[in-house]
Amino acid sequence: MIEADSLTKSFGATKALAGVSFSVPAGSILGMLGPNGAGKTTAVRILTTLAIPDDGQAKVAGHDVVAEAAAVRRSIGVTAQDATIDEALTGRQNLVMVGELSGLKRKAAKSRAAELLTRFDLLEAADRVTKGYSGGMRRRLDLAASLVTRPSVLFLDEPTTGLDPTSRLLMWQVIRGLVSEGTTILLTTQYLEEADELADRIVVIDHGTVIAEGTAAELKRQIGGARLSVTLAEPHPRAVAALTGLVDGDVQVSQDGRRLQAAVRSTSGLGTTVVRALDANGVVVDDVEVRPPSLDDVFFSLTGHGALDLEGETCDLQVLEGVS
Ligand SMILES: Nc1ncnc2c1ncn2[C@@H]1O[C@H](COP(=O)(O)OP(=O)(O)OP(=O)(O)O)[C@@H](O)[C@H]1O
Ligand SMILES: [Mg+2]
């Protein structure tokens, strides 16, 4: 239903897309995962006919996004990254307006609005102006608006950014419901766990190129077994050496020297072995955790920086090679 082939797009000297290709089979959901500025919105804008690529082609619902833009527009729904609702109108008025603008008779627009308000748990707030809506309510109304015309292909650009955990879960439920009805979805996100939860397949994009592609499980497999994470009471010069024989590859050390991470293959009894080895070297341990790899680990191993650079989550990890 969505096919992107070598899309490029530059803004001045900035290469927003440097040759991006992917496809989304009917009835499935593709998660496009990438940090700020990766090129996600640019890709969405091209696929939804709001921008023209410098090079490459794309088809949505069988229509070329440049040559047959009108036909593409008839098949799609879009929830943009920034809410597009009219704050002076009520939730219901917003939806009725969208319905009428897309060609429904007033009566049909009203009944479609009522249906969507119920479905998105907005009935109680339906007749209040949306200026007073919470972030979660706005995102839901936005999504409802993109569904007025029952599109077969839906583009969701960071639908849960900024939402609290409860609103995010509610949004996930709604998105899952749409997929189960056969809607094809391209969803962009900066949240690894969101792509993991919702997407059938994931493309990881960074600096305008696809750097990895696969199911969440495949991506996790790329970086091997589990992850060992050790927190020390205080930094210790022998800590890395003590771990080196027990893990696969390099030990990553946080800037403050207290957090050590590494890939591990076998996990049985590992926690105890690790504590003993560190103890034997006089290293005091606060916490040991062995967990399955997260998509953030995948991102880190692919790019050498965390997916959440801007929030400083993982970018303070340095790879120390061959430390003894
Ligand atoms: N209209 C524009 N004019 C100039 N530069 C732009 C424009 N749109 C995007 N860019 C640049 O292109 C790059 C990709 O931007 P894009 O909005 O596609 O990223 P994104 O992955 O959606 O990021 P975010 O997660 O912050 O929404 C960025 O460097 C951005 O500054
Ligand atoms: Mg964006």
Side-chain angles (χ1 to χ4, degrees):
M1 282 301 256
I2 304 173
E3 266 185 274
D5 181 14
S6 315
L7 293 175
T8 67
K9 179 84 183 172
S10 295
F11 299 99
T14 309
K15 254 203 156 134
L17 294 181
V20 165
S21 305
F22 55 84
S23 60
V24 193
S28 74
I29 173 160
L30 178 78
M32 180 180 277
L33 178 68
N36 283 124
K40 303 182 297 296
T41 298
T42 305
V44 168
R45 288 179 57 83
I46 290 173
L47 294 169
T48 57
T49 77
L50 297 173
I52 291 180
D54 297 338
D55 214 343
Q57 285 109 41
K59 280 187 169 181
V60 172
H63 305 290
D64 186 277
V65 294
V66 179
E68 304 166 283
V72 170
R73 274 183 225 134
R74 281 194 293 274
S75 323
I76 62 172
V78 188
T79 301
Q81 189 164 0
D82 305 307
T84 48
I85 54 182
D86 186 333
E87 296 211 317
L89 301 180
T90 67
R92 192 187 306 275
Q93 286 165 342
N94 263 285
L95 293 182
V96 171
M97 180 184 72
V98 171
E100 288 186 313
L101 286 175
S102 46
L104 294 181
K105 293 259 165 30
R106 185 158 186 88
K107 200 171 158 213
K110 275 185 167 173
S111 80
R112 183 69 179 143
E115 201 181 310
L116 288 164
L117 289 163
T118 311
R119 167 157 188 190
F120 287 82
D121 199 19
L122 288 168
L123 212 45
E124 237 167 81
D127 298 307
R128 299 205 319 251
V129 290
T130 56
K131 200 170 180 1
Y133 278 24
S134 71
M137 291 161 78
R138 280 158 194 263
R139 295 308 285 173
R140 294 210 298 283
L141 185 65
D142 238 0
L143 180 53
S146 69
L147 294 174
V148 166
T149 56
R150 303 176 203 276
S152 53
V153 187
L154 194 57
F155 293 86
L156 305 175
D157 197 1
E158 301 198 28
T160 69
T161 296
L163 297 191
D164 64 35
T166 314
S167 307
R168 176 167 301 155
L169 284 179
L170 190 59
M171 198 60 142
W172 285 2
Q173 260 175 29
V174 169
I175 293 169
R176 281 201 195 94
L178 290 167
V179 176
S180 74
E181 288 164 17
T183 310
T184 306
I185 297 181
L186 172 70
L187 167 137
T188 78
T189 183
Q190 301 187 36
Y191 301 115
L192 303 143
E193 102 256 33
E194 180 159 288
D196 200 357
E197 276 288 326
L198 294 176
D200 296 305
R201 293 184 67 75
I202 296 170
V203 292
V204 184
I205 105 166
D206 194 33
H207 299 297
T209 50
V210 175
I211 55 168
E213 189 179 355
T215 63
E218 280 165 1
L219 291 177
K220 288 177 182 177
R221 227 174 286 135
Q222 279 193 7
I223 67 152
R227 304 287 298 181
L228 170 72
S229 173
V230 178
T231 309
L232 308 179
E234 52 192 49
H236 194 289
R238 284 199 297 280
V240 171
L243 286 182
T244 299
L246 305 173
V247 303
D248 294 328
D250 301 325
V251 178
Q252 294 157 4
V253 185
S254 67
Q255 235 151 35
D256 68 2
R258 285 191 55 218
R259 204 151 55 94
L260 281 64
Q261 286 197 41
V264 289
R265 206 162 283 148
S266 154
T267 58
S268 80
L270 184 68
T272 316
T273 315
V274 163
V275 174
R276 284 207 185 116
L278 290 169
D279 196 42
N281 281 277
V283 185
V284 184
V285 177
D286 262 1
D287 189 38
V288 174
E289 188 194 17
V290 182
R291 58 178 169 78
S294 68
L295 283 172
D296 201 31
D297 297 325
V298 176
F299 208 90
F300 192 90
S301 76
L302 290 169
T303 64
H305 59 83
L308 304 173
D309 268 8
L310 294 171
E311 275 125 358
E313 251 305 299
T314 52
C315 60
D316 57 347
L317 288 172
Q318 310 163 339
V319 178
L320 297 188
E321 286 167 291
V323 176
S324 55

